[in-house]
């Protein structure tokens, strides 16, 4: 995963609360290998009518170039399916701005280079206001955790560890392997002090 | 020494190290995988890494498990998902509970049933309802595919310690009220992000009085209130459930385990970041009316008018009612349903099937329905008790174990526009199939809906609840 520090793109407003992971990618698409690309599955049932045609009135459909999604509370709540993040990434989204995120979604997002930018209610209202007329240019900085839209400079919240991880494109497996001695020592000690914590031999 | 919460004790027992930025590296005692874990295995393969601890990893076929005609899986995509898991399990030497294994079932049912799940463990699974296992006093939480790969490769996980929240439920639950109703009651009060960033510990006399099945239902649904962790301190009920399970500790290990588990409770003076107290007597049989688990009300209530709600929730409510095809201001009770489903890791256990059968015994269902037990073992037990006959005599389908209509990945779907009374955990748009309308409730309430063909207060059914 490549790191990034600033992103310039277009923000689009999706004024819906609780867009859960079942909506981000319906379960029926999840047997697809990642290499096939998940972008078309993003919000599949919301974006399309019963016949499968794209709804012209759905915000994202008119702005395929948008790379920043501004939405409401509870984004990514629900299942742990990382495919929800793949669908966003493969559709070109780099950041999602919302008042709150599902915990597992947010962590999956950071693991894939997607920024879950949390904003307070007032900031959220300001951004929604700025996007009423349609998609607009935005610049996102991980360094000072700020969003710029025209003259507006607005803050977002992000765990410091996650901000670093996004910037460096760190992979946790690499980081963890540096702690191998600690891990082995811990496992040995646990095996001694709590042998019951290993599965019993079957009779 | 300062007083510690159950969360503190479990965390301390698994923390290998804590970085300066506050992230903890935790030891994982059990890792459960299923067909959906294919992305995680693919990431491991891409790096050419071995599995760190195959003996602590267990694989289950559940999400795509057909509930009928297992011998010849018609859909090649489903067959491929199951075959991929078989290959990954075989390649890495992982115990697999395969389709025809007498212990196959839903991962969160099989874990406890086999004694894979124990008090005091840290348990991960690439599935959000991993919180279920917290019912044993374990630190159990769902993870995404990148984290699955990390656990496979290192048997550890990075986490920031959540805040501690306590939900106390005292008193005794009224007749017909279950753990499902406790969960829907608190989630409707606090919202789907109400417990976000918190580990919820459930305490109080009503919680102590719950069976392990009820405790699992409650901890399972914690994720629907935004909490990744739900937990209950282990007690004799827990130990009685665990003892004698195939992979549970035996002999001197059992004695040592019991001694360790006795310390797994929040100290008397432990401080919680948040507290919520509920009176069990105030909780009624609860059903959802919308497309989020927080959109739930007692069966005696009327469908809300969005104009009367908190403005922040009005728009979502109006959209939910539109999707659900419901009119504000009318009673929820009496809403006609097209079909019913009983199953899932939330309410597919033997006690759930018994509760549903008690309502259905000697009655006919007015609508079609599917019953899929949580595991093959539960299926066998239900059949030994004659419950399957109760269901089929009522006109309902009795099928094999799996996630089934909870998520529809195996093809068990609710058709567009159809309304389903369901014992599952998510009433999201399209969860049970595109355009499907889901009402969540307890298994006995689902059974009551089957009997009358509409959402029904089971306390009013003639002849009672069996
Ligand atoms: S039954 Fe439903 S919630 Fe439970 S593991 Fe299966 S799909 Fe997930």
């Amino acid at each position: 995963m490549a790191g990034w520090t600033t992103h310039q793109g277009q923000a689009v407003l999706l004024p819906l609360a609780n867009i859960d992971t079942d909506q981000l990618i319906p379960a029926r698409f999840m047997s697809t290998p990642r290499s096939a690309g998940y972008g078309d599955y993003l919000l599949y049932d919301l974006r399309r009518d019963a016949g499968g045609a794209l709804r012209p009135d759905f915000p994202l459909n008119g702005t395929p170039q948008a790379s920043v999604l501004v939405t409401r509370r509870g984004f990514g709540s629900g299942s742990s399916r990382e495919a929800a993040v793949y669908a966003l990434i493969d559709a070109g989204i780099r950041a999602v701005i919302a008042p709150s995120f599902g915990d597992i979604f947010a962590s999956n997002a950071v693991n894939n280079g997607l920024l879950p930018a949390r904003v307070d209610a007032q900031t959220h209202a300001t951004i929604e206001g700025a996007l009423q007329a349609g998609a607009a240019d935005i610049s996102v900085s991980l360094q000072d955790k700020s969003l710029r839209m025209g003259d507006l400079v607005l803050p977002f919240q992000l765990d410091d560890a996650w901000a670093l991880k996004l910037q460096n494109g760190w992979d946790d497996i690499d980081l963890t392997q540096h702690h191998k001695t600690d891990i082995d020592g811990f496992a040995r000690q646990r095996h001694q002090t709590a042998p019951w914590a290993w599965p019993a031999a079957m009779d | 020494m300062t007083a510690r919460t159950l969360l503190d004790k479990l965390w301390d027992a698994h923390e290998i190290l804590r970085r300066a930025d506050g992230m903890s590296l935790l030891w994982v005692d059990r890792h459960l995988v299923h067909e959906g874990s294919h992305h995680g295995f693919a990431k491991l393969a891409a790096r050419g890494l071995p599995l760190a601890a195959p003996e602590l990893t267990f694989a289950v076929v559940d999400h795509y498990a057909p509930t009928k005609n297992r011998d010849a899986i018609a859909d090649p995509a489903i067959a491929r998902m199951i075959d991929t898991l078989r290959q990954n399990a075989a390649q890495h030497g992982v115990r697999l509970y395969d389709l025809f294994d007498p212990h196959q079932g839903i991962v969160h049912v099989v874990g406890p049933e086999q004694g894979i799940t124990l008090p005091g463990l840290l348990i991960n699974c690439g599935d959000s309802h991993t919180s279920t296992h917290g019912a044993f006093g374990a630190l159990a939480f769902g993870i995404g595919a990148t984290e699955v790969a990390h656990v496979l490769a290192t048997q550890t996980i990075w986490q920031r310690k959540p805040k501690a929240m306590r939900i106390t439920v005292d008193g005794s639950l009224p007749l017909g009220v279950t753990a499902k109703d406790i969960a829907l009651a608190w989630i409707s009060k606090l919202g789907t992000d109400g417990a976000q960033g918190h580990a919820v510990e459930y305490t109080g006399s009503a919680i102590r009085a719950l069976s392990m099945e009820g405790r699992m239902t409650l901890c399972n649904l914690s994720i629907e209130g935004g909490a990744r962790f739900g937990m209950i301190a282990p007690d004799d009920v827990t130990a009685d459930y665990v003892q004698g399970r195939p992979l549970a500790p035996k002999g001197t290990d059992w004695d040592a385990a019991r001694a360790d588990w006795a310390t797994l409770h929040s100290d008397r003076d432990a401080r919680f970041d948040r507290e919520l107290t509920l009176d069990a007597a105030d909780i009624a049989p609860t059903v959802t009316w919308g497309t989020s688990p927080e959109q739930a009300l007692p069966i005696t209530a009327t469908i809300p008018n969005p104009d009367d709600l908190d403005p922040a929730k009005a728009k979502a409510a109006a959209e939910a009612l539109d999707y659900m095809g419901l009119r504000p201001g009318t009673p929820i009770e009496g809403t006609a349903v097209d079909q019913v489903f009983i199953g899932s890791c939330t309410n597919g256990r033997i006690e759930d099937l018994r509760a549903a059968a008690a309502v259905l015994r000697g009655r006919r269902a007015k609508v079609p329905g599917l019953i899929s037990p949580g595991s093959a073992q539960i299926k066998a037990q239900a059949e030994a008790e004659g419950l399957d006959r109760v269901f089929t005599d009522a006109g309902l389908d009795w099928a094999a174990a799996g996630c089934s209509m909870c998520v529809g990945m195996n093809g068990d779907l609710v058709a567009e526009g159809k309304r389903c009374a369901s014992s599952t955990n998510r009433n999201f748009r399209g969860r049970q199939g595109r355009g499907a309308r889901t009402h969540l409730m307890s298994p006995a309430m689902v059974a009551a809906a089957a009997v009358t063909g509409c959402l029904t207060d089971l306390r009013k059914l003639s002849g009672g609840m069996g």
Side-chain angles (χ1 to χ4, degrees):
Chain A
M1 177 180 97
W4 60 276
T5 303
T6 56
H7 170 76
Q8 310 251 353
Q10 262 208 344
V12 64
L13 180 61
L14 187 56
L16 296 171
N18 287 329
I19 297 186
D20 52 69
T21 51
D22 278 85
Q23 290 179 73
L24 282 167
I25 177 166
R28 62 185 184 277
F29 300 122
M30 286 176 52
S31 55
T32 313
R34 175 71 195 279
S35 52
Y38 273 49
D40 272 354
Y41 304 143
L42 177 65
L43 296 162
Y44 193 94
D45 289 337
L46 278 179
R47 294 174 78 167
R48 288 170 179 78
D49 61 25
L54 289 171
R55 294 173 199 270
D57 57 336
F58 191 81
L60 267 178
N61 290 342
T63 51
Q65 74 285 5
S67 58
V68 176
L69 199 59
V70 178
T71 181
R72 295 194 173 159
R73 79 176 180 100
F75 189 83
S77 55
S79 94
S80 63
R81 58 183 76 164
E82 197 160 300
V85 173
Y86 304 158
L88 286 159
I89 294 270
D90 291 357
I93 304 295
R94 289 292 163 268
V96 181
I97 301 171
S100 65
F101 293 91
D103 280 340
I104 310 180
F105 171 85
S107 145
N108 289 343
V110 171
N111 278 328
N112 287 277
L114 175 73
L115 164 66
R118 205 152 36 81
V119 290
D120 59 35
Q122 197 187 340
T123 306
H124 189 258
T126 307
I127 302 175
E128 279 212 357
L131 292 174
Q132 281 312 323
D137 289 343
I138 192 166
S139 136
V140 181
S141 165
L142 287 173
Q143 206 122 44
D144 56 3
K145 295 185 192 170
S146 73
L147 307 165
R148 279 161 213 267
M149 300 177 71
D151 297 336
L152 291 172
V153 182
L154 302 160
F156 67 84
Q157 284 89 50
L158 179 71
D159 186 305
D160 283 333
W162 282 359
L164 261 187
K165 191 162 152 178
L166 282 170
Q167 289 184 64
N168 293 309
W170 275 337
D171 178 293
D172 280 342
I173 294 180
D174 291 340
L175 290 183
T176 305
Q177 280 171 340
H178 290 301
H179 299 295
K180 188 155 179 6
T181 318
D182 289 329
I183 297 170
D184 291 347
F186 183 95
R188 254 196 318 277
Q189 200 201 342
R190 183 157 176 76
H191 206 288
Q192 270 163 18
T193 55
W196 57 263
W198 268 256
M202 301 272 274
D203 294 326
Chain B
M1 205 166 84
T2 52
R4 294 190 300 161
T5 61
L6 174 58
L7 171 67
D8 292 331
K9 293 179 183 180
L10 290 169
W11 200 270
D12 292 350
H14 291 89
E15 190 172 58
I16 300 164
L17 58 94
R18 191 179 297 198
R19 274 194 328 227
D21 64 9
M23 295 293 272
S24 302
L25 185 64
L26 303 174
W27 173 254
V28 179
D29 293 305
R30 300 286 187 275
H31 187 201
L32 310 175
V33 298
H34 53 85
E35 308 95 298
S37 310
H38 67 103
H39 289 297
F41 279 107
K43 286 172 196 281
L44 194 73
R47 289 167 165 271
L49 287 174
L51 192 50
E55 75 281 12
L56 302 180
T57 311
F58 295 86
V60 175
V61 179
D62 58 0
H63 282 69
Y64 289 83
T67 46
K68 289 171 191 156
N69 304 326
R70 285 195 167 168
D71 298 309
I73 302 176
D75 184 338
I78 289 176
R80 197 187 64 229
M81 288 297 280
I82 296 172
D83 276 340
T84 304
L85 180 67
R86 286 177 181 144
Q87 282 160 20
N88 282 321
Q91 181 191 337
H92 294 287
V94 169
R95 166 77 161 98
L96 170 69
Y97 296 89
D98 206 341
L99 274 185
F100 294 98
D101 191 304
H103 301 124
Q104 178 267 340
I106 305 170
V107 64
H108 309 311
V109 177
V110 171
E113 220 169 55
Q114 295 306 308
I116 296 168
T117 304
L118 302 173
L121 298 186
L122 189 152
I123 301 170
N124 278 151
C125 173
D127 185 279
S128 57
H129 290 98
T130 307
S131 57
T132 311
H133 309 262
F136 290 81
L139 203 55
F141 52 98
I143 53 178
T146 302
E147 292 169 320
V148 167
H150 187 274
V151 179
L152 290 172
T154 68
Q155 204 58 28
T156 65
I157 182 100
W158 289 101
Q159 280 292 297
R160 185 179 294 286
K161 190 177 177 185
K163 294 194 184 114
M165 174 169 173
R166 177 161 59 187
I167 297 183
T168 306
V169 191
D170 279 320
S172 48
L173 291 172
L175 204 62
V177 178
T178 66
K180 181 70 158 281
D181 303 298
I182 299 177
L184 290 175
W186 84 253
I187 295 166
S188 66
K189 209 181 261 285
L190 297 189
T192 46
D193 50 4
Q196 202 160 50
H198 290 78
V200 173
E201 180 182 348
Y202 299 94
T203 61
S205 56
I207 306 299
R208 289 274 144 247
L210 290 175
S211 65
M212 276 323 295
E213 282 84 353
R215 295 178 188 188
M216 284 190 258
T217 300
L218 185 57
C219 289
N220 171 283
L221 288 163
S222 303
I223 182 82
E224 307 308 331
R228 280 179 88 175
F229 307 69
M231 53 181 84
I232 295 172
D235 58 12
D236 289 345
V237 174
T238 322
D240 288 347
Y241 180 99
V242 171
Q243 191 164 26
R245 303 266 163 194
L247 295 164
K250 299 176 177 74
T252 51
D253 277 349
W254 174 256
D255 299 334
R258 281 305 302 265
D260 283 356
W261 298 346
T263 65
L264 293 177
H265 55 79
S266 290
D267 296 333
R268 189 190 304 271
D269 299 325
R271 289 181 39 128
F272 287 81
D273 300 290
R274 268 181 89 183
E275 299 259 14
L276 174 73
T277 304
L278 299 174
D279 186 344
D282 294 342
I283 303 173
T286 303
V287 297
T288 61
W289 52 266
T291 54
S292 157
E294 72 181 31
Q295 292 169 325
L297 281 170
I299 182 70
T300 49
T302 51
I303 295 166
N305 189 333
D307 298 340
D308 301 339
L309 296 177
D310 171 355
K313 299 198 164 179
K315 184 165 172 274
E319 285 162 356
L321 289 176
D322 181 49
Y323 178 86
M324 293 296 290
L326 295 173
R327 272 216 325 280
T330 51
I332 294 178
E333 190 174 14
T335 304
V337 301
D338 300 297
Q339 64 196 93
V340 301
F341 175 69
I342 296 175
S344 86
C345 60
T346 306
N347 279 125
R349 297 185 176 80
I350 189 69
E351 191 174 88
D352 301 314
L353 300 182
R354 287 185 191 134
V359 174
L360 287 162
R361 190 165 280 121
R363 292 184 165 118
R364 288 284 303 173
K366 285 210 174 121
V367 293
L370 178 66
I371 302 181
S372 170
S375 73
Q377 198 169 307
I378 291 169
K379 182 166 189 280
Q381 188 174 348
E383 287 170 358
E385 295 178 18
L387 306 184
D388 58 320
R389 290 293 302 278
V390 175
F391 299 135
T392 51
D393 287 351
L396 299 172
D397 278 349
W398 173 247
C403 295
S404 184
M405 210 173 270
C406 174
V407 70
M409 288 178 177
N410 73 338
D412 292 342
L413 291 163
V414 176
E416 181 125 24
K418 295 293 184 201
R419 188 180 304 284
C420 182
S422 184
S423 77
T424 54
N425 44 57
R426 286 189 174 135
N427 52 342
F428 296 165
R429 286 165 188 264
R431 170 79 175 183
Q432 293 189 298
R434 189 189 161 113
R437 294 165 168 166
T438 304
H439 293 271
L440 305 176
M441 62 199 78
S442 72
M445 285 285 286
V446 174
V451 166
T452 62
C454 57
L455 302 185
T456 297
D457 188 339
L458 86 159
R459 297 170 299 187
K460 290 201 229 156
L461 270 190
S462 63
M465 290 159 260

